[in-house]
Amino acid sequence: MDMLTIGAFAKASRLSPKALRLYDELELLRPARVDPGTGYRYYAADQLEQARLVAWLRRLGMPLARIRQVCALDPGPAAREIGAYWAGVEAETAARRDLAAFLVNHLSPSRGKDTSMLELRCSALSDTGLVREANQDSVHAGARVLAVADGCGPGGAPASTAAVRALTFLDDEPLSAGGVLNLLEDAVEGAARAVADLVPSPGTAGAPDGDGTGSTLTALVWTGSQLALVHIGDSRAYVLRDGGLFRITHDHTVVQSMIDEGRLTPEEATTHPQRSLLLKALGTATAPVPDLRLQDVRPGDRYLLCSDGLSTVVPDEGIERLLASAPGPDAAVRALVGAANDAGGPDNVSCVVADVVEAAPPAGYRSA
């Protein structure tokens, strides 16, 4: 059998040695022989066709987990699987186009926009669900602060309560867009300390383990013209704008990192045994660095904060439909919690919904 060194095989297949080592680790493209003394990899010439297929599929943008499935198929089924993948890519193009338009609008300078006459109308609801014995979620919908926290471990309920309470003082604070992120950063540090005080023996690193206590935290703080976002964990924030639903947070989970790296498909993530394992949470030995940013608003925006008790059982399409059809925040939170329970209610479910509306002018006000 003709054998090629990893360098020669990389050149012939147009894959880098680094990529070949990764594909070996993932059992996607194993070398024909590994030298027992040096560990050097050797490949057979007849492996070039599979290597080139992997390279082509990566150029298509196909995740490694799905490439593994394609490479295990005979040519006919493999061709159909590639066609199905590309049809899915094309179907997602319109949604990505809408997201791009949303981001362009969100990041564009808003000079001349008068947002001084806007206000929030909000509602919050938390439910134990149909399986859990106790509710470890906490929610808050105040004058300025909207928050959802999802506790875990034996002290999960007090942990989520402490996380939310660390922010609620901002309901009574005079806030400006320029200083609110600093206030939020300080508040999160306070939340981390409050949750850590509940943990009898902190773990070493990462998210709390099965016996540890911790909490996620996702919150929006209203300045009167913008919303400041703080996010740690896998609770989520969405905005419904112009009929489209956009997620404005990124899950801090092991499976999300694997999706980002192309090691896992979103479909595989839904059944992955580590889908609930957090990379960031309040209550860990290492203080988590939160996601912090300002969010521009428009009249008509509808914002949703939710624990994963909603997002893991109700797909984004269902969330979008329920948010769009509800006449107000009260009806929206009831519909969303009801949908989670209709889907089996395997976890606590909590939602906060807020509408951005034009405020009524003060008495005696006359427009110019």
Side-chain angles (χ1 to χ4, degrees):
M1 179 185 295
D2 294 334
M3 301 295 288
L4 300 174
T5 65
I6 188 172
F9 190 78
K11 185 176 181 180
S13 64
R14 297 187 178 180
L15 291 169
S16 69
K18 180 180 179 181
L20 289 173
R21 286 190 287 269
L22 173 62
Y23 299 162
D24 181 12
E25 293 172 7
L26 298 177
E27 299 184 358
L28 180 61
L29 183 62
R30 305 302 299 267
R33 185 172 72 86
V34 178
D35 188 287
T38 64
Y40 210 71
R41 296 170 172 86
Y42 293 88
Y43 293 81
D46 59 9
Q47 290 183 281
L48 281 171
E49 184 175 353
Q50 183 181 4
R52 288 168 181 153
L53 176 60
V54 171
W56 289 330
L57 293 176
R58 287 298 288 160
R59 288 179 65 186
L60 279 180
M62 185 179 286
L64 292 174
R66 193 155 183 177
I67 291 175
R68 187 188 303 115
Q69 297 172 2
V70 171
C71 290
L73 298 173
D74 292 332
R80 289 192 291 274
E81 180 66 17
I82 293 168
Y85 166 76
W86 192 248
V89 170
E90 291 181 326
E92 292 169 4
T93 300
R96 290 202 298 269
R97 187 185 302 116
D98 290 343
L99 178 57
F102 168 80
L103 291 172
V104 168
N105 179 271
H106 171 61
L107 297 172
S108 296
S110 55
R111 296 185 185 90
K113 280 187 180 178
D114 182 8
T115 57
S116 60
M117 300 295 286
L118 297 179
E119 64 181 18
L120 294 184
R121 293 178 184 168
C122 54
S123 183
L125 183 62
S126 185
D127 190 84
T128 305
L130 304 180
V131 175
R132 299 293 177 90
E133 294 183 357
N135 192 349
Q136 294 189 315
D137 288 359
S138 293
V139 295
H140 178 79
R144 291 190 177 93
V145 177
L146 315 171
V148 167
D150 181 358
C152 60
S160 67
T161 299
V164 169
R165 283 180 178 170
L167 299 185
T168 54
F169 78 95
L170 294 172
D171 273 331
D172 303 317
E173 288 286 319
L175 301 174
S176 66
V180 69
L181 292 183
N182 290 334
L183 282 172
L184 265 180
E185 191 169 16
D186 292 342
V188 170
E189 290 180 2
R193 290 193 297 271
V195 174
D197 288 343
L198 300 170
V199 182
S201 54
T204 56
D209 60 26
D211 297 323
T213 290
S215 179
T216 71
L217 178 63
T218 301
L220 292 167
V221 179
W222 177 239
T223 69
S225 61
Q226 289 179 304
L227 284 165
L229 170 72
V230 58
H231 170 64
I232 300 170
D234 64 349
S235 296
R236 290 182 176 180
Y238 297 85
V239 58
L240 183 73
R241 175 178 290 178
D242 296 332
L245 184 71
F246 305 96
R247 179 150 56 107
I248 56 176
T249 54
H250 196 71
D251 292 347
H252 298 144
T253 60
V254 169
V255 295
Q256 183 61 57
S257 69
M258 295 172 72
I259 293 171
D260 295 341
E261 295 168 0
R263 294 172 179 256
L264 204 64
T265 67
E267 294 77 18
E268 290 173 325
T270 61
T271 58
H272 195 279
Q274 292 182 313
R275 61 187 178 277
S276 299
L277 186 60
L278 298 175
L279 292 176
K280 289 184 183 182
L282 299 173
T284 62
T286 303
V289 178
D291 295 343
L292 288 166
R293 72 169 185 274
L294 289 172
Q295 172 82 18
D296 283 334
V297 300
R298 288 188 196 173
D301 283 353
R302 173 167 283 180
Y303 287 85
L304 166 67
L305 305 179
C306 66
S307 63
D308 67 341
L310 176 69
S311 58
T312 56
V313 296
V314 180
D316 283 2
E317 295 81 2
I319 293 174
E320 179 178 336
R321 177 178 53 79
L322 293 169
L323 280 177
S325 61
D330 285 343
V333 294
R334 289 196 299 270
L336 292 164
V337 169
N341 285 333
D342 288 344
D347 197 359
N348 308 147
V349 56
S350 299
C351 300
V352 177
V353 172
D355 288 349
V356 179
V357 300
E358 294 185 2
Y365 172 83
R366 290 185 180 182
S367 61

